Amino acid sequence: MNTIEINDTFKLASEFINTTDKSVFLTGKAGTGKTTFLNTLWQNIAKKYIIVAPTGIAAVNANGVTIHSFFSLPLGPFLPGKSQPGTSIDSNKKRLIKELELLIIDEVSMLRADTLDAIDYVLRKTRTKEDVPFGGVQVLFVGDLCQLSPIIADEEWMQIKSYYNGINFLNALSVKKAPPLFLELTQVYRQSDDSFIELLNLMRTGNCSQREVELINTYYKPDAVNHKSAVILTTHNSKVDSINEKELKTLTTQEHSLWAEVDGDFDEVSFPTENCLTLKIDARIMLLRNDKEKDKKYYNGKTGLVKIIEPERLSVLLDDGKFIQIEKEVWSKIKYVFNESTNTVSPEVIGTFKQFPVKLAWAITIHKSQGLTFENAVLDLENVFVPGQAYVALSRLKSLQGLSLSSQVNLQIINNSAFAAGTLSHSLHGDKLNEILLNEQALFAERKIRGHFRWEELSAFFSQNDNFLNNYAAITEVVVRVKNCITTSLKFTDEVSGICKLKQGDKYQLLESRITAAASYYLAEIDNRIMPTVKQEYSKTKGSINFKLQFRLIAELKKLLEQKRINFISAEKFVRNFISSTTDTHKL
């Protein structure tokens, strides 16, 4: 799947993420463009966000980090009311978490309910907002619960089953308290055959009958594993390794060992392909990256044969007859950092893995095929062990014509659906979603602007040091002016609330006008009437042994006022961006 159209659900999901703080569960069948949406979103979002995923490889592919590493979660189960994860989080990461606005969780089909509750616990504790779901952070869940489900050992399930009705993330206590908005992508781009799409729908929900079993078994081909032009999708790593090693040994051409260049912190479990890639001429490989050139000759999951091996270049004959050359590419492992000077959250590369973006592909596991597309594939479903595994395997194909079965299936295999593991939400109609969007936008705008215009830190500062400051003659007028700003700001934010509750479409233009005027007023107060005196006292008391207390308090006051300046500038920027983002809302 190279490109997909930006449909109404894509637009609506983007609106909810960019112009509200409502949590969203974006789901859809295999091949509906969830990965494409996520890749587009993270490159165009203005919020402070991070991306996490349940596994190392999923995290690298999503340009994110693993859930357990970011939130410092232990490997054992989370017991609500008893476990206390996140105690080892360092001060820099705590600051980042406090500034976080959006948490994106990819591949949520593999996210356990207790793991999500552990995330909720860490966010509430770290942000000191223990009564607010996820500590006030918006969460975007991306994935399909009918695909690969969470894995949990029997002894772990015994420990947590009294808390949860099921293991997938919708059973989390945090989700039950604050359910995300359900948005479903319905347009399938991978397949175009309606009968095949219907078959996949039945498998996805576990509603196949004997009729579907018989249909699939018509593609049973006992010699399928010898079909050299099709990748074998099977259930276990041991099977994959055995098949690939055996097929490679049958080639009489020279063996080449191509080592990756690993730099910095990049753990082995997150390697996107082999550290030492063993290839021969005519080895069957699968590409792991999309073509960056305009002509898009290949995509992630495309297969072919290696024809020329050079230290820095491979020449590959694709199965569609195209001859391409590929060079080594770099995968990055990142950590998220908060930049105080720019007030932004950004990824910082902590390790890189440079290797040819290929892997041996006579066989791959079904787990690692998730998100890929194949023209032809041999499915080995005999030992399916995870709900949704058979569905994921079959849904990788563009059509049934590309299917070969290495063994026959039965009803139990193809109805082993992850759908039975938990009840999915119901999608709302467009008009209702638009109504919710407009209401959430108004609430979001009100909350954000109230946040920019609140003076809680300065109010607390004056409350804690009131007696001393009232006797500090040099800044008496400063105290009076700041307290007056606090009083007028309370009235202004009440006015903001009233504007946000208005029904007319131009209310945000009115809001922009009032924000601009208010920000200008408070900035003038700080810059022209308050800060000059504070800076003067700061310079006078700095380094003086006689004015240590005065200097400490003036330094703190100066820092709080500088932060307020940033808040007012940010308020103007926010309302401009918000209006720009909501311009087309009524057209959805």
PDB file of all heavy atoms in Angstrom, residues 8-18 24 26 37 41 140 183:
ATOM      1  N   ASP A   8     -12.608  11.308   5.308  1.00  0.00           N
ATOM      2  CA  ASP A   8     -13.234  12.117   6.354  1.00  0.00           C
ATOM      3  C   ASP A   8     -12.835  11.665   7.761  1.00  0.00           C
ATOM      4  O   ASP A   8     -12.693  12.493   8.663  1.00  0.00           O
ATOM      5  CB  ASP A   8     -14.766  12.063   6.207  1.00  0.00           C
ATOM      6  CG  ASP A   8     -15.258  12.922   5.051  1.00  0.00           C
ATOM      7  OD1 ASP A   8     -14.451  13.703   4.516  1.00  0.00           O
ATOM      8  OD2 ASP A   8     -16.444  12.803   4.677  1.00  0.00           O
ATOM      9  N   THR A   9     -12.668  10.365   7.951  1.00  0.00           N
ATOM     10  CA  THR A   9     -12.277   9.887   9.282  1.00  0.00           C
ATOM     11  C   THR A   9     -10.872  10.347   9.624  1.00  0.00           C
ATOM     12  O   THR A   9     -10.580  10.701  10.770  1.00  0.00           O
ATOM     13  CB  THR A   9     -12.366   8.348   9.356  1.00  0.00           C
ATOM     14  OG1 THR A   9     -13.667   7.938   8.929  1.00  0.00           O
ATOM     15  CG2 THR A   9     -12.135   7.865  10.773  1.00  0.00           C
ATOM     16  N   PHE A  10      -9.972  10.358   8.634  1.00  0.00           N
ATOM     17  CA  PHE A  10      -8.625  10.893   8.850  1.00  0.00           C
ATOM     18  C   PHE A  10      -8.713  12.347   9.310  1.00  0.00           C
ATOM     19  O   PHE A  10      -8.051  12.755  10.274  1.00  0.00           O
ATOM     20  CB  PHE A  10      -7.834  10.852   7.541  1.00  0.00           C
ATOM     21  CG  PHE A  10      -7.083   9.572   7.325  1.00  0.00           C
ATOM     22  CD1 PHE A  10      -7.737   8.356   7.352  1.00  0.00           C
ATOM     23  CD2 PHE A  10      -5.725   9.575   7.084  1.00  0.00           C
ATOM     24  CE1 PHE A  10      -7.065   7.168   7.145  1.00  0.00           C
ATOM     25  CE2 PHE A  10      -5.031   8.396   6.877  1.00  0.00           C
ATOM     26  CZ  PHE A  10      -5.700   7.193   6.899  1.00  0.00           C
ATOM     27  N   LYS A  11      -9.521  13.131   8.597  1.00  0.00           N
ATOM     28  CA  LYS A  11      -9.641  14.553   8.926  1.00  0.00           C
ATOM     29  C   LYS A  11     -10.229  14.744  10.320  1.00  0.00           C
ATOM     30  O   LYS A  11      -9.771  15.584  11.097  1.00  0.00           O
ATOM     31  CB  LYS A  11     -10.526  15.248   7.881  1.00  0.00           C
ATOM     32  CG  LYS A  11      -9.939  15.292   6.487  1.00  0.00           C
ATOM     33  CD  LYS A  11     -10.921  15.908   5.506  1.00  0.00           C
ATOM     34  CE  LYS A  11     -10.382  15.873   4.085  1.00  0.00           C
ATOM     35  NZ  LYS A  11     -11.375  16.388   3.104  1.00  0.00           N
ATOM     36  N   LEU A  12     -11.247  13.954  10.621  1.00  0.00           N
ATOM     37  CA  LEU A  12     -11.913  14.073  11.911  1.00  0.00           C
ATOM     38  C   LEU A  12     -10.957  13.689  13.045  1.00  0.00           C
ATOM     39  O   LEU A  12     -10.893  14.366  14.075  1.00  0.00           O
ATOM     40  CB  LEU A  12     -13.151  13.175  11.939  1.00  0.00           C
ATOM     41  CG  LEU A  12     -14.173  13.422  13.053  1.00  0.00           C
ATOM     42  CD1 LEU A  12     -14.731  14.826  12.980  1.00  0.00           C
ATOM     43  CD2 LEU A  12     -15.298  12.403  12.962  1.00  0.00           C
ATOM     44  N   ALA A  13     -10.223  12.609  12.860  1.00  0.00           N
ATOM     45  CA  ALA A  13      -9.256  12.194  13.877  1.00  0.00           C
ATOM     46  C   ALA A  13      -8.202  13.275  14.094  1.00  0.00           C
ATOM     47  O   ALA A  13      -7.825  13.578  15.241  1.00  0.00           O
ATOM     48  CB  ALA A  13      -8.598  10.883  13.464  1.00  0.00           C
ATOM     49  N   SER A  14      -7.728  13.880  13.001  1.00  0.00           N
ATOM     50  CA  SER A  14      -6.741  14.959  13.116  1.00  0.00           C
ATOM     51  C   SER A  14      -7.313  16.147  13.874  1.00  0.00           C
ATOM     52  O   SER A  14      -6.622  16.777  14.682  1.00  0.00           O
ATOM     53  CB  SER A  14      -6.278  15.392  11.726  1.00  0.00           C
ATOM     54  OG  SER A  14      -5.583  14.349  11.081  1.00  0.00           O
ATOM     55  N   GLU A  15      -8.579  16.468  13.616  1.00  0.00           N
ATOM     56  CA  GLU A  15      -9.229  17.578  14.316  1.00  0.00           C
ATOM     57  C   GLU A  15      -9.295  17.311  15.816  1.00  0.00           C
ATOM     58  O   GLU A  15      -9.005  18.180  16.639  1.00  0.00           O
ATOM     59  CB  GLU A  15     -10.652  17.785  13.765  1.00  0.00           C
ATOM     60  CG  GLU A  15     -10.709  18.432  12.402  1.00  0.00           C
ATOM     61  CD  GLU A  15     -10.665  19.946  12.480  1.00  0.00           C
ATOM     62  OE1 GLU A  15     -10.666  20.492  13.599  1.00  0.00           O
ATOM     63  OE2 GLU A  15     -10.635  20.577  11.419  1.00  0.00           O
ATOM     64  N   PHE A  16      -9.700  16.105  16.186  1.00  0.00           N
ATOM     65  CA  PHE A  16      -9.800  15.776  17.614  1.00  0.00           C
ATOM     66  C   PHE A  16      -8.432  15.850  18.290  1.00  0.00           C
ATOM     67  O   PHE A  16      -8.321  16.317  19.424  1.00  0.00           O
ATOM     68  CB  PHE A  16     -10.414  14.387  17.807  1.00  0.00           C
ATOM     69  CG  PHE A  16     -11.913  14.401  17.910  1.00  0.00           C
ATOM     70  CD1 PHE A  16     -12.704  13.989  16.848  1.00  0.00           C
ATOM     71  CD2 PHE A  16     -12.539  14.846  19.072  1.00  0.00           C
ATOM     72  CE1 PHE A  16     -14.096  14.013  16.949  1.00  0.00           C
ATOM     73  CE2 PHE A  16     -13.925  14.873  19.171  1.00  0.00           C
ATOM     74  CZ  PHE A  16     -14.705  14.456  18.107  1.00  0.00           C
ATOM     75  N   ILE A  17      -7.400  15.390  17.606  1.00  0.00           N
ATOM     76  CA  ILE A  17      -6.071  15.400  18.209  1.00  0.00           C
ATOM     77  C   ILE A  17      -5.506  16.813  18.282  1.00  0.00           C
ATOM     78  O   ILE A  17      -4.926  17.214  19.296  1.00  0.00           O
ATOM     79  CB  ILE A  17      -5.111  14.484  17.419  1.00  0.00           C
ATOM     80  CG1 ILE A  17      -5.595  13.033  17.488  1.00  0.00           C
ATOM     81  CG2 ILE A  17      -3.690  14.597  17.954  1.00  0.00           C
ATOM     82  CD1 ILE A  17      -5.789  12.503  18.893  1.00  0.00           C
ATOM     83  N   ASN A  18      -5.672  17.594  17.238  1.00  0.00           N
ATOM     84  CA  ASN A  18      -5.052  18.922  17.181  1.00  0.00           C
ATOM     85  C   ASN A  18      -5.841  20.015  17.881  1.00  0.00           C
ATOM     86  O   ASN A  18      -5.248  20.995  18.341  1.00  0.00           O
ATOM     87  CB  ASN A  18      -4.827  19.325  15.716  1.00  0.00           C
ATOM     88  CG  ASN A  18      -3.651  18.603  15.098  1.00  0.00           C
ATOM     89  OD1 ASN A  18      -2.513  18.758  15.530  1.00  0.00           O
ATOM     90  ND2 ASN A  18      -3.912  17.798  14.074  1.00  0.00           N
ATOM     91  N   VAL A  24      -8.664   9.522  22.144  1.00  0.00           N
ATOM     92  CA  VAL A  24      -9.250   8.899  20.956  1.00  0.00           C
ATOM     93  C   VAL A  24      -8.692   7.488  20.778  1.00  0.00           C
ATOM     94  O   VAL A  24      -7.490   7.254  20.962  1.00  0.00           O
ATOM     95  CB  VAL A  24      -8.941   9.733  19.690  1.00  0.00           C
ATOM     96  CG1 VAL A  24      -9.406   9.008  18.430  1.00  0.00           C
ATOM     97  CG2 VAL A  24      -9.591  11.115  19.791  1.00  0.00           C
ATOM     98  N   LEU A  26      -8.320   5.203  17.725  1.00  0.00           N
ATOM     99  CA  LEU A  26      -8.421   5.112  16.262  1.00  0.00           C
ATOM    100  C   LEU A  26      -8.146   3.672  15.856  1.00  0.00           C
ATOM    101  O   LEU A  26      -7.045   3.158  16.029  1.00  0.00           O
ATOM    102  CB  LEU A  26      -7.413   6.046  15.586  1.00  0.00           C
ATOM    103  CG  LEU A  26      -7.474   6.042  14.060  1.00  0.00           C
ATOM    104  CD1 LEU A  26      -8.763   6.687  13.566  1.00  0.00           C
ATOM    105  CD2 LEU A  26      -6.270   6.752  13.460  1.00  0.00           C
ATOM    106  N   PHE A  37      -1.818   7.060   8.761  1.00  0.00           N
ATOM    107  CA  PHE A  37      -2.354   8.181   9.539  1.00  0.00           C
ATOM    108  C   PHE A  37      -1.358   8.607  10.614  1.00  0.00           C
ATOM    109  O   PHE A  37      -1.078   9.798  10.782  1.00  0.00           O
ATOM    110  CB  PHE A  37      -3.676   7.808  10.191  1.00  0.00           C
ATOM    111  CG  PHE A  37      -4.168   8.835  11.174  1.00  0.00           C
ATOM    112  CD1 PHE A  37      -4.843   9.962  10.729  1.00  0.00           C
ATOM    113  CD2 PHE A  37      -3.919   8.702  12.532  1.00  0.00           C
ATOM    114  CE1 PHE A  37      -5.280  10.932  11.627  1.00  0.00           C
ATOM    115  CE2 PHE A  37      -4.340   9.668  13.439  1.00  0.00           C
ATOM    116  CZ  PHE A  37      -5.028  10.784  12.981  1.00  0.00           C
ATOM    117  N   LEU A  41       0.438  12.161  11.070  1.00  0.00           N
ATOM    118  CA  LEU A  41       0.107  12.955  12.245  1.00  0.00           C
ATOM    119  C   LEU A  41       1.338  13.455  12.970  1.00  0.00           C
ATOM    120  O   LEU A  41       1.455  14.647  13.279  1.00  0.00           O
ATOM    121  CB  LEU A  41      -0.753  12.119  13.202  1.00  0.00           C
ATOM    122  CG  LEU A  41      -1.124  12.811  14.525  1.00  0.00           C
ATOM    123  CD1 LEU A  41      -2.137  13.921  14.270  1.00  0.00           C
ATOM    124  CD2 LEU A  41      -1.683  11.800  15.524  1.00  0.00           C
ATOM    125  N   LEU A 140      -3.916   9.074  22.458  1.00  0.00           N
ATOM    126  CA  LEU A 140      -4.358   8.529  21.170  1.00  0.00           C
ATOM    127  C   LEU A 140      -3.951   7.065  21.119  1.00  0.00           C
ATOM    128  O   LEU A 140      -2.758   6.737  21.107  1.00  0.00           O
ATOM    129  CB  LEU A 140      -3.726   9.293  20.001  1.00  0.00           C
ATOM    130  CG  LEU A 140      -3.936   8.676  18.607  1.00  0.00           C
ATOM    131  CD1 LEU A 140      -5.415   8.611  18.245  1.00  0.00           C
ATOM    132  CD2 LEU A 140      -3.149   9.445  17.543  1.00  0.00           C
ATOM    133  N   LEU A 183     -13.124   6.065  16.964  1.00  0.00           N
ATOM    134  CA  LEU A 183     -13.149   6.412  15.546  1.00  0.00           C
ATOM    135  C   LEU A 183     -12.633   5.221  14.747  1.00  0.00           C
ATOM    136  O   LEU A 183     -11.568   4.677  15.050  1.00  0.00           O
ATOM    137  CB  LEU A 183     -12.270   7.630  15.261  1.00  0.00           C
ATOM    138  CG  LEU A 183     -12.741   8.981  15.801  1.00  0.00           C
ATOM    139  CD1 LEU A 183     -11.729  10.071  15.469  1.00  0.00           C
ATOM    140  CD2 LEU A 183     -14.108   9.350  15.238  1.00  0.00           C
TER     141      LEU A 183
END
